[in-house]
């Protein structure tokens, strides 16, 4: 993994996939529980909010003989509410014939905060070749209240990227929940691996169990099978917290 920036995990952590607090030493002092974004102002609810695709989908890596993954960037353009969303798509061959479809309803685990932009890694099933084009439609299916809970961010303690098979990688992030709130199962990690030109050439996604208040955990994600053979120079990712109240 030459050229990849990584940091070693804390000494003493021998097992990945920690969740919750196993002992009092995993707890943090209550005096450190401070919002990192300040206090949110109460605003009137808008009538609609949009999620938009901000990068053309790419799909140059494959997860199996009958399907492939794709990567795109999406953004919640609302400045007031978080949104739940769903993805529909049509993949086509070079001659315009139907190649495969995408139909995914995203649950609260991936609700986007106001103005949030993320890398999204999705899948196209029942295909036997990489598509020549992919037309995506991303729409809002629910609005979510913003509460004090959303003013807190996770603190990233450590990161690790390692090769687990030929052209496949595992990415682990150790995070601290510096808040008085528990976050439900489904907190999601999504990101990409980039070449030395800054192009996204592979993607990874994973999730966590409950992340208790004042505790730390490790979220693990696996990449798809890379078809490009490009060396990875860097990575970029986002963590989507679960646990919003719908209205």
């Amino acid at each position: 993994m030459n050229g990849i920036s990584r940091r070693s995990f804390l000494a003493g952590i021998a097992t990945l996939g920690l969740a919750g607090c196993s002992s009092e030493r995993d707890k943090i002092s209550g005096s450190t529980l401070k919002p990192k974004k300040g206090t949110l102002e109460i605003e009137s609810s808008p009538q609609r909010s949009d999620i938009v695709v901000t990068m053309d989908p790419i799909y140059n890596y494959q997860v199996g003989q009958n399907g492939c993954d794709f990567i795109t960037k999406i953004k919640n353009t609302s400045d007031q509410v978080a949104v739940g969303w769903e993805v529909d798509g049509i993949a086509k061959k070079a001659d315009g014939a139907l190649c495969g479809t995408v139909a995914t309803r995203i649950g609260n685990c991936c609700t986007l905060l106001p103005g949030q932009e993320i890398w999204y890694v999705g899948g196209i099933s029942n295909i036997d070749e990489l598509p020549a084009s992919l037309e995506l439609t991303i729409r809002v299916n629910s609005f979510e209240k913003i509460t004090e809970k959303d003013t807190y961010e996770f603190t990233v303690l450590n990161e690790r990227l390692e090769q687990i098979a030929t052209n496949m990688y595992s990415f682990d992030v150790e995070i601290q929940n510096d808040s008085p709130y528990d976050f439900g199962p489904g907190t999601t990690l999504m990101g990409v691996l980039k070449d030395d030109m800054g192009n996204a050439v592979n993607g990874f996604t994973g999730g966590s169990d409950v992340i208790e208040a004042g505790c730390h955990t490790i979220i693990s994600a696996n990449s798809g099978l890379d078809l490009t053979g490009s060396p990875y120079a860097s990575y970029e990712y986002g963590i989507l917290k679960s646990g919003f109240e719908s209205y």
Side-chain angles (χ1 to χ4, degrees), residues 132-178:
S133 65
L134 175 61
E135 302 171 2
L136 289 178
T137 300
I138 301 179
R139 61 176 62 87
V140 171
N141 56 36
S142 65
F143 297 108
E144 311 292 342
K145 290 182 179 179
I146 300 298
T147 68
E148 181 191 5
K149 186 175 182 179
D150 307 314
T151 67
Y152 292 87
E153 292 182 348
F154 297 133
T155 298
V156 175
L157 301 177
N158 291 284
E159 302 166 2
R160 180 174 67 182
L161 176 68
E162 64 177 348
Q163 187 170 353
I164 57 175
T166 303
N167 295 330
M168 291 191 70
Y169 298 85
S170 174
F171 184 64
D172 305 300
V173 180
E174 182 187 9
I175 59 174
Q176 179 81 32
N177 179 8
D178 296 317

Side-chain angles (χ1 to χ4, degrees), residues 61 69 71 121 169 191-193 201-205 222-225 232:
Y61 67 101
D69 282 3
I71 306 168
V121 181
Y169 298 85
V192 293
L193 303 173
V201 292
N202 207 331
F204 52 83
T205 182
N222 289 335
S223 76
L225 177 61
Y232 301 136

Side-chain angles (χ1 to χ4, degrees), residues 30-236:
S31 62
T32 66
L33 302 179
K34 298 178 181 178
K36 295 190 175 183
K37 291 185 179 179
T39 301
L40 290 172
E41 296 181 359
I42 303 300
E43 301 182 25
S44 60
S45 301
Q47 295 301 307
R48 59 175 281 122
S49 177
D50 293 325
I51 292 181
V52 299
V53 175
T54 59
M55 186 191 80
D56 290 337
I58 59 174
Y59 29 79
N60 52 5
Y61 67 101
Q62 192 166 338
V63 295
Q65 293 183 347
N66 295 316
C68 78
D69 282 3
F70 65 89
I71 306 168
T72 190
K73 249 188 176 180
I74 61 174
K75 182 177 182 179
N76 175 8
T77 58
S78 169
D79 60 358
Q80 299 184 48
V81 296
V83 291
W85 44 289
E86 57 190 38
V87 183
D88 293 313
I90 299 176
K92 295 182 178 180
K93 300 180 180 180
D95 61 3
L98 179 66
C99 179
T101 59
V102 178
T104 307
R105 187 186 187 283
I106 308 300
N108 285 348
C109 65
C110 292
T111 302
L112 291 180
L113 291 170
Q116 186 175 19
E117 185 175 43
I118 65 163
W119 292 100
Y120 174 65
V121 181
I124 310 171
S125 58
N126 299 319
I127 62 173
D128 55 9
E129 64 181 81
L130 294 177
S133 65
L134 175 61
E135 302 171 2
L136 289 178
T137 300
I138 301 179
R139 61 176 62 87
V140 171
N141 56 36
S142 65
F143 297 108
E144 311 292 342
K145 290 182 179 179
I146 300 298
T147 68
E148 181 191 5
K149 186 175 182 179
D150 307 314
T151 67
Y152 292 87
E153 292 182 348
F154 297 133
T155 298
V156 175
L157 301 177
N158 291 284
E159 302 166 2
R160 180 174 67 182
L161 176 68
E162 64 177 348
Q163 187 170 353
I164 57 175
T166 303
N167 295 330
M168 291 191 70
Y169 298 85
S170 174
F171 184 64
D172 305 300
V173 180
E174 182 187 9
I175 59 174
Q176 179 81 32
N177 179 8
D178 296 317
S179 84
Y181 301 102
D182 295 340
F183 288 88
T187 293
T188 301
L189 169 69
M190 284 190 180
V192 293
L193 303 173
K194 295 182 175 182
D195 61 20
D196 56 6
M197 299 296 291
N199 300 312
V201 292
N202 207 331
F204 52 83
T205 182
S208 76
D209 294 324
V210 174
I211 306 175
E212 296 179 8
C215 299
H216 74 273
T217 190
I218 295 174
I219 306 180
S220 299
N222 289 335
S223 76
L225 177 61
D226 176 43
L227 298 179
T228 68
S230 301
Y232 301 136
S234 63
Y235 54 78
E236 185 177 329

